[in-house]
Amino acid sequence: MVDVMLDPKFVQLVHQIDPDSKLLRSWALTGGISAQVMALEVQSANGDVQKWVLRQHSARQIADNPQSAAHEFAIMGALQAAGVPVPAPIYLDESHSLFERPYLVMGYIEGETQFAPDDLNHYIGQFTRQMVKIHAVDMAQQDLAFLPDQAAWYTHKLQNRPAVLDDSLQEGRIRDALEAAWPFPNMNQPVLMHGDYWPGNILWQGDQLAAVIDFEDTALGDPLNDL
């Protein structure tokens, strides 16, 4: 049997969460640009094997919101309680004792993104139903007072262009279009918004929607502006 080299920090992380569990392996998850994401395969004392996801927001994200990890952790807990299919929040660490930046650990959900579904109507139906479910979360029953007002947040961002724009994302072109149309009219009462709801943040198992992920941009606002 070949020994697997394990990162001591990941070994320690697993021990912090559950001293009776051990790390079997870890690997990087790709696809996002706002966070560093690792998958951890963990074995419990009774032999059961499960997968966790370690998520660290980028330095830029933390500069914008130093509590971004804690906020995303709380949002996932509230959405899970409301029946929205999201990864289960497992652990939050803001101590900086193990990693340079705060991090959260959540359950790993098997699935893949789909950008060219075979049955587009079936896809869109599930896609939109989950968005509506997020918007319908009863804010009065959830401790999410920290959420920003999306319109105010975007106004601030649009009024403060960075010295260097991200050409890989066509940031200049996007900003020009938004500035020309801003502010968008508010047609509805504010609701809980995902903030980055697109196919890249939806996981599928076959033709069934398995999970909605990535809640670092969640805010309050008009549901028609949730994009």
Side-chain angles (χ1 to χ4, degrees), residues 113-211:
T113 55
Q114 291 188 16
F115 296 95
D118 293 332
D119 187 338
L120 184 58
N121 288 334
H122 182 69
Y123 179 100
I124 291 176
Q126 294 187 68
F127 185 89
T128 54
R129 280 194 294 273
Q130 289 307 323
M131 174 182 269
V132 170
K133 202 167 187 177
I134 293 171
H135 294 167
V137 169
D138 187 349
M139 297 297 296
Q141 295 185 7
Q142 305 296 339
D143 186 16
L144 300 176
F146 58 82
L147 286 172
D149 176 85
Q150 189 203 54
W153 186 81
Y154 276 130
T155 296
H156 173 77
K157 296 288 285 187
L158 290 173
Q159 291 175 345
N160 294 273
R161 280 201 176 208
V164 179
L165 300 178
D166 190 338
D167 291 335
S168 69
L169 298 177
Q170 301 185 53
E171 184 177 359
R173 181 180 178 185
I174 293 170
R175 281 180 173 272
D176 289 342
L178 287 174
E179 288 168 3
W182 198 259
F184 295 160
N186 288 322
M187 308 295 291
N188 302 281
Q189 292 297 313
V191 299
L192 179 67
M193 303 168 61
H194 182 282
D196 191 19
Y197 199 83
W198 73 295
N201 283 333
I202 307 295
L203 296 180
W204 298 81
Q205 295 174 357
D207 64 353
Q208 297 300 310
L209 191 151

Side-chain angles (χ1 to χ4, degrees), residues 11-218:
V11 173
Q12 185 177 343
L13 181 154
V14 171
H15 183 75
Q16 285 181 185
I17 298 175
D18 182 2
D20 296 323
S21 291
K22 66 178 182 179
L23 178 66
L24 299 179
R25 63 186 180 111
S26 63
W27 64 98
L29 296 175
T30 60
I33 61 174
S34 61
Q36 179 182 358
V37 187
M38 298 291 298
L40 308 175
E41 190 172 67
V42 178
Q43 186 175 45
S44 64
N46 64 9
D48 290 342
V49 175
Q50 58 183 313
K51 295 176 184 175
W52 298 342
V53 173
L54 164 66
R55 182 173 171 83
Q56 288 181 285
H57 292 170
S58 68
R60 181 175 178 178
Q61 186 81 18
I62 292 175
D64 287 341
N65 177 11
Q67 294 183 293
S68 58
H71 289 174
E72 185 169 10
F73 190 84
I75 291 163
M76 287 194 300
L79 289 171
Q80 185 183 45
V84 179
V86 299
I90 294 174
Y91 187 72
L92 171 69
D93 186 355
E94 299 179 283
S95 69
H96 302 275
S97 61
L98 192 57
F99 296 103
E100 180 181 352
R101 301 191 300 273
Y103 65 90
L104 61 149
V105 177
M106 65 192 81
Y108 180 100
I109 296 181
E110 299 286 352
E112 58 185 14
T113 55
Q114 291 188 16
F115 296 95
D118 293 332
D119 187 338
L120 184 58
N121 288 334
H122 182 69
Y123 179 100
I124 291 176
Q126 294 187 68
F127 185 89
T128 54
R129 280 194 294 273
Q130 289 307 323
M131 174 182 269
V132 170
K133 202 167 187 177
I134 293 171
H135 294 167
V137 169
D138 187 349
M139 297 297 296
Q141 295 185 7
Q142 305 296 339
D143 186 16
L144 300 176
F146 58 82
L147 286 172
D149 176 85
Q150 189 203 54
W153 186 81
Y154 276 130
T155 296
H156 173 77
K157 296 288 285 187
L158 290 173
Q159 291 175 345
N160 294 273
R161 280 201 176 208
V164 179
L165 300 178
D166 190 338
D167 291 335
S168 69
L169 298 177
Q170 301 185 53
E171 184 177 359
R173 181 180 178 185
I174 293 170
R175 281 180 173 272
D176 289 342
L178 287 174
E179 288 168 3
W182 198 259
F184 295 160
N186 288 322
M187 308 295 291
N188 302 281
Q189 292 297 313
V191 299
L192 179 67
M193 303 168 61
H194 182 282
D196 191 19
Y197 199 83
W198 73 295
N201 283 333
I202 307 295
L203 296 180
W204 298 81
Q205 295 174 357
D207 64 353
Q208 297 300 310
L209 191 151
V212 182
I213 60 174
D214 292 359
F215 293 92
E216 69 267 24
D217 293 321
T218 299

